[in-house]
Amino acid sequence: MNIEHNMVNGLLPNLDLINLMAKLADKFGLIPEVFNHGYQGSWWNFAETASKAMLNQAFNEKEGLHSIFGPYGIQAVTIHAKNVMEGHASLTDLTQICEGALRSLNNILEKFHQSYFLYIMTDIRNFLSVAYYMPALGLILFPLIILALREWFSLKEFSFPNSFVLLHVVGIIQYCIIRSVAISQYYHTYTVLLSFSAFIPWYLLFPV
């Protein structure tokens, strides 16, 4: 049973809702998945699922019917399951899971507010919290800020570098390629490669 959770503009539902659907799937004998991946056993699978999560959140504007509820503050997910002829869920199983979700949510005495809203799923049971990836992002951006300030204070006269336009054109082309592949049938094949392509130092290819 695949749990789709990305919403419009990169919004994510409360993590407790995903955990609830995963526990209900386990209860009724189904295998819960995110991005068509269940329990992962290697670091490569973790990286692949995390890359799919980031690309899907960045480029996929709508994933399921639940996507439109995000801007209204409604926590929702969409569940997909193969039919019983393929050895997976029947309509009765899905109905029981939906009923269990409604009963569980009905027993909550207060709204979702103490769980995670910023996370990257690595598999159905594990995730990267914002407390882990934001410091790493800050360490990547901090040297760039220092270099930019150094150039600004040492600037005597403004000059427009020749590589400025070229780098922006390369960035736009790279964005279009990643977006087109991320929503195509090759999405599952080149996910990790596309994620790391953003770190290519294109500025080394062009003279200043």
Side-chain angles (χ1 to χ4, degrees), residues 1-5 17-40 49 77-82 87-89 94 97 121-126:
M1 185 184 77
N2 190 49
I3 303 173
E4 297 180 352
H5 57 279
L17 185 58
I18 299 177
N19 293 333
L20 169 64
M21 302 308 296
K23 290 182 179 296
L24 288 173
D26 289 334
K27 179 180 179 180
F28 292 100
L30 301 180
I31 300 176
E33 298 177 342
V34 286
F35 307 108
N36 295 310
H37 287 275
Y39 303 103
Q40 306 295 347
T49 306
V77 295
T78 297
I79 56 175
H80 284 172
K82 296 181 180 180
H88 290 273
L94 287 180
I97 290 175
M121 299 297 295
T122 56
D123 71 358
I124 192 61
R125 295 298 185 195
N126 299 286

Coordinates of all heavy atoms in Angstrom, one line a residue, residues 1-5 17-40 49 77-82 87-89 94 97 121-126:
M1 N 0.8 -1.2 0.0 CA 0.0 0.0 0.0 C 0.9 1.2 0.0 O 1.6 1.5 0.9 CB -0.9 0.0 1.2 CG -1.9 1.2 1.2 SD -2.9 1.2 2.7 CE -1.7 1.9 3.9
N2 N 0.8 2.0 -1.1 CA 1.6 3.2 -1.2 C 0.9 4.4 -0.6 O -0.3 4.6 -0.8 CB 1.9 3.5 -2.7 CG 3.0 4.5 -2.8 OD1 4.0 4.5 -2.2 ND2 2.7 5.5 -3.7
I3 N 1.6 5.1 0.3 CA 1.1 6.3 0.9 C 1.6 7.6 0.3 O 2.8 7.8 0.4 CB 1.4 6.3 2.5 CG1 0.9 5.0 3.1 CG2 0.8 7.5 3.1 CD1 1.4 4.8 4.5
E4 N 0.8 8.3 -0.4 CA 1.2 9.6 -1.0 C 0.9 10.7 -0.1 O -0.2 10.8 0.4 CB 0.5 9.7 -2.4 CG 0.8 8.7 -3.4 CD 0.0 8.9 -4.7 OE1 -0.8 9.8 -4.7 OE2 0.3 8.1 -5.7
H5 N 1.9 11.6 0.1 CA 1.7 12.6 1.2 C 2.1 14.0 0.7 O 1.8 15.0 1.5 CB 2.5 12.2 2.4 CG 3.9 12.0 2.2 ND1 4.4 10.8 1.6 CD2 5.0 12.8 2.3 CE1 5.8 10.9 1.5 NE2 6.1 12.1 1.9
L17 N 0.2 11.3 10.9 CA -0.8 10.7 10.0 C -0.2 9.6 9.1 O -0.8 8.6 8.9 CB -1.4 11.9 9.1 CG -2.5 11.5 8.2 CD1 -3.7 10.9 8.9 CD2 -3.0 12.7 7.3
I18 N 1.0 9.8 8.6 CA 1.7 8.8 7.8 C 2.0 7.6 8.7 O 1.8 6.4 8.3 CB 3.0 9.3 7.2 CG1 2.7 10.5 6.3 CG2 3.8 8.2 6.5 CD1 3.9 11.2 5.7
N19 N 2.4 7.8 9.9 CA 2.7 6.7 10.9 C 1.4 5.9 11.2 O 1.4 4.7 11.3 CB 3.3 7.2 12.2 CG 4.7 7.7 11.9 OD1 5.4 7.3 11.0 ND2 5.1 8.7 12.8
L20 N 0.3 6.6 11.3 CA -1.0 6.0 11.5 C -1.4 5.1 10.4 O -1.8 3.9 10.6 CB -2.1 7.1 11.7 CG -3.5 6.6 11.8 CD1 -3.8 5.6 12.9 CD2 -4.5 7.8 11.8
M21 N -1.2 5.6 9.1 CA -1.6 4.7 8.0 C -0.7 3.5 7.9 O -1.1 2.4 7.5 CB -1.6 5.6 6.7 CG -2.5 6.8 6.7 SD -4.2 6.4 7.2 CE -4.7 5.4 5.8
A22 N 0.6 3.7 8.2 CA 1.5 2.6 8.2 C 1.2 1.5 9.2 O 1.2 0.3 8.9 CB 3.0 3.1 8.4
K23 N 0.8 1.9 10.4 CA 0.4 1.0 11.4 C -0.9 0.2 11.1 O -1.0 -1.0 11.3 CB 0.3 1.7 12.8 CG 1.6 2.2 13.4 CD 1.4 2.8 14.7 CE 2.7 3.3 15.3 NZ 3.6 2.1 15.6
L24 N -1.8 1.0 10.5 CA -3.0 0.3 10.1 C -2.8 -0.7 8.9 O -3.4 -1.8 8.9 CB -4.1 1.4 9.6 CG -4.7 2.2 10.7 CD1 -5.5 3.3 10.1 CD2 -5.5 1.4 11.6
A25 N -1.9 -0.4 8.0 CA -1.5 -1.3 7.0 C -0.9 -2.6 7.6 O -1.2 -3.7 7.1 CB -0.6 -0.6 6.0
D26 N 0.0 -2.4 8.5 CA 0.6 -3.6 9.2 C -0.5 -4.4 9.9 O -0.5 -5.6 9.9 CB 1.6 -3.1 10.2 CG 2.9 -2.6 9.6 OD1 3.1 -3.0 8.4 OD2 3.5 -1.8 10.2
K27 N -1.5 -3.7 10.5 CA -2.5 -4.4 11.2 C -3.4 -5.3 10.3 O -3.8 -6.4 10.7 CB -3.4 -3.4 11.9 CG -4.6 -4.1 12.7 CD -5.4 -3.0 13.4 CE -6.6 -3.6 14.2 NZ -7.4 -2.6 14.8
F28 N -3.6 -4.9 9.1 CA -4.4 -5.6 8.2 C -3.6 -6.4 7.2 O -4.1 -6.9 6.1 CB -5.4 -4.7 7.4 CG -6.4 -4.1 8.3 CD1 -6.3 -2.8 8.8 CD2 -7.6 -4.8 8.7 CE1 -7.3 -2.2 9.6 CE2 -8.5 -4.2 9.5 CZ -8.4 -3.0 10.0
G29 N -2.3 -6.6 7.5 CA -1.5 -7.5 6.7 C -1.0 -7.0 5.3 O -0.6 -7.7 4.5
L30 N -1.0 -5.6 5.2 CA -0.5 -5.0 4.0 C 0.9 -4.5 4.3 O 1.4 -4.3 5.4 CB -1.4 -3.9 3.6 CG -2.8 -4.3 3.3 CD1 -3.6 -3.0 2.8 CD2 -2.9 -5.3 2.2
I31 N 1.7 -4.2 3.2 CA 3.0 -3.7 3.3 C 3.0 -2.2 3.0 O 2.7 -1.8 1.8 CB 4.0 -4.4 2.3 CG1 4.0 -5.9 2.6 CG2 5.4 -3.8 2.4 CD1 4.9 -6.7 1.6
P32 N 3.1 -1.3 4.0 CA 3.1 0.1 3.7 C 4.3 0.6 3.0 O 5.5 0.1 3.2 CB 3.0 0.7 5.1 CG 3.7 -0.3 6.0 CD 3.4 -1.6 5.4
E33 N 4.2 1.5 2.1 CA 5.3 2.1 1.3 C 5.1 3.6 1.1 O 4.0 4.1 1.2 CB 5.3 1.4 -0.1 CG 5.5 -0.1 -0.1 CD 5.4 -0.7 -1.5 OE1 4.9 0.0 -2.4 OE2 5.9 -1.8 -1.7
V34 N 6.3 4.2 0.9 CA 6.3 5.6 0.4 C 7.1 5.6 -0.8 O 8.2 5.0 -0.9 CB 6.9 6.6 1.5 CG1 5.9 6.8 2.6 CG2 8.2 6.1 2.0
F35 N 6.6 6.3 -1.9 CA 7.3 6.3 -3.2 C 7.6 4.9 -3.7 O 8.6 4.7 -4.3 CB 8.6 7.1 -3.1 CG 8.4 8.5 -2.5 CD1 8.9 8.8 -1.3 CD2 7.7 9.5 -3.2 CE1 8.7 10.1 -0.7 CE2 7.5 10.8 -2.7 CZ 8.0 11.0 -1.4
N36 N 6.6 4.0 -3.4 CA 6.7 2.6 -3.8 C 7.9 1.9 -3.3 O 8.4 1.0 -3.9 CB 6.7 2.5 -5.4 CG 5.4 3.0 -6.0 OD1 4.3 2.6 -5.6 ND2 5.5 3.9 -7.0
H37 N 8.4 2.3 -2.1 CA 9.4 1.7 -1.4 C 9.0 1.4 0.0 O 8.5 2.3 0.7 CB 10.7 2.5 -1.3 CG 11.4 2.6 -2.6 ND1 12.3 1.7 -3.0 CD2 11.4 3.5 -3.6 CE1 12.8 2.0 -4.2 NE2 12.2 3.1 -4.6
G38 N 9.2 0.2 0.5 CA 8.8 -0.2 1.8 C 9.9 -0.1 2.8 O 10.6 1.0 2.9
Y39 N 10.2 -1.2 3.5 CA 11.3 -1.2 4.4 C 12.6 -1.3 3.7 O 12.8 -2.2 2.9 CB 11.2 -2.3 5.4 CG 9.9 -2.3 6.2 CD1 8.8 -3.1 5.8 CD2 9.7 -1.4 7.2 CE1 7.6 -3.1 6.5 CE2 8.5 -1.3 7.9 CZ 7.5 -2.2 7.5 OH 6.3 -2.2 8.2
Q40 N 13.6 -0.4 4.0 CA 14.8 -0.4 3.2 C 15.9 -1.1 4.0 O 15.9 -1.1 5.2 CB 15.3 1.1 3.0 CG 14.2 2.0 2.3 CD 13.9 1.5 0.9 OE1 14.7 0.7 0.3 NE2 12.9 2.0 0.3
T49 N 15.3 6.7 -1.9 CA 14.0 7.2 -1.4 C 14.0 8.6 -0.9 O 13.1 9.4 -1.2 CB 13.5 6.3 -0.2 OG1 13.6 4.9 -0.6 CG2 12.1 6.6 0.2
V77 N -3.8 12.3 3.3 CA -2.9 11.5 2.5 C -3.8 10.7 1.5 O -5.0 10.6 1.7 CB -2.0 10.5 3.3 CG1 -1.0 11.3 4.2 CG2 -2.9 9.6 4.1
T78 N -3.1 10.2 0.5 CA -3.8 9.3 -0.5 C -3.2 8.0 -0.4 O -1.9 7.9 -0.4 CB -3.7 9.9 -1.9 OG1 -4.4 11.1 -2.0 CG2 -4.4 8.9 -2.9
I79 N -4.0 6.9 -0.3 CA -3.4 5.6 -0.3 C -3.8 4.8 -1.6 O -4.9 4.9 -2.1 CB -3.9 4.8 1.0 CG1 -5.5 4.7 1.0 CG2 -3.4 5.4 2.2 CD1 -6.0 3.8 2.1
H80 N -2.8 4.1 -2.1 CA -2.9 3.3 -3.3 C -2.6 1.9 -3.0 O -1.6 1.6 -2.3 CB -2.0 3.8 -4.4 CG -2.5 5.1 -5.1 ND1 -1.8 5.8 -6.0 CD2 -3.7 5.7 -5.0 CE1 -2.5 6.8 -6.4 NE2 -3.6 6.8 -5.8
A81 N -3.3 1.0 -3.5 CA -3.1 -0.5 -3.3 C -3.4 -1.2 -4.5 O -4.4 -0.9 -5.2 CB -3.8 -1.0 -2.1
K82 N -2.6 -2.3 -4.8 CA -2.9 -3.2 -5.9 C -4.1 -4.1 -5.6 O -4.4 -4.3 -4.4 CB -1.7 -4.0 -6.3 CG -0.5 -3.2 -6.8 CD 0.7 -4.0 -7.1 CE 1.8 -3.2 -7.6 NZ 3.0 -4.1 -7.9
G87 N -2.3 -10.2 -5.4 CA -1.8 -10.6 -4.1 C -1.7 -9.5 -3.1 O -0.9 -9.6 -2.2
H88 N -2.5 -8.4 -3.3 CA -2.4 -7.3 -2.4 C -3.8 -7.0 -1.8 O -4.5 -8.0 -1.4 CB -1.8 -6.1 -3.1 CG -0.4 -6.2 -3.5 ND1 0.6 -5.8 -2.6 CD2 0.2 -6.6 -4.6 CE1 1.8 -6.0 -3.2 NE2 1.6 -6.5 -4.4
A89 N -4.1 -5.8 -1.7 CA -5.3 -5.4 -0.9 C -6.6 -5.6 -1.7 O -6.6 -5.5 -2.9 CB -5.2 -4.0 -0.4
L94 N -9.1 -2.0 2.2 CA -9.0 -0.5 2.1 C -10.1 0.2 2.9 O -9.9 1.2 3.6 CB -9.0 -0.1 0.7 CG -7.8 -0.3 -0.2 CD1 -8.0 0.2 -1.6 CD2 -6.6 0.3 0.4
I97 N -9.2 0.0 6.5 CA -8.1 0.9 6.8 C -8.6 2.3 6.9 O -8.3 3.1 7.9 CB -7.0 0.8 5.8 CG1 -6.2 -0.5 5.9 CG2 -6.0 2.0 5.9 CD1 -5.2 -0.8 4.8
M121 N 11.3 11.7 4.0 CA 11.1 10.2 4.3 C 12.3 9.4 3.6 O 12.6 9.6 2.4 CB 9.8 9.8 3.7 CG 8.6 10.5 4.3 SD 8.4 10.1 6.1 CE 8.1 8.4 6.1
T122 N 12.9 8.6 4.4 CA 13.9 7.7 3.8 C 13.4 6.3 3.7 O 13.9 5.5 2.8 CB 15.1 7.6 4.8 OG1 14.7 7.2 6.1 CG2 15.8 9.0 4.8
D123 N 12.4 5.9 4.4 CA 11.5 4.7 4.2 C 10.3 4.9 5.0 O 10.0 6.0 5.6 CB 12.2 3.4 4.4 CG 12.5 3.1 5.9 OD1 12.1 4.0 6.7 OD2 13.0 2.1 6.2
I124 N 9.4 3.9 5.0 CA 8.1 4.1 5.7 C 8.3 4.2 7.2 O 7.4 4.8 7.9 CB 7.2 2.9 5.3 CG1 5.8 3.1 5.8 CG2 7.8 1.6 6.0 CD1 5.2 4.3 5.1
R125 N 9.4 3.8 7.8 CA 9.6 3.9 9.2 C 10.6 4.9 9.7 O 10.7 5.2 10.8 CB 10.0 2.5 9.8 CG 9.0 1.4 9.6 CD 7.7 1.7 10.4 NE 6.8 0.6 10.4 CZ 5.5 0.7 10.7 NH1 5.0 1.9 11.1 NH2 4.7 -0.3 10.6
N126 N 11.4 5.5 8.7 CA 12.5 6.4 9.1 C 12.3 7.7 8.3 O 11.8 7.7 7.2 CB 13.8 5.7 8.8 CG 14.0 4.5 9.7 OD1 14.3 4.5 10.9 ND2 13.9 3.3 9.0

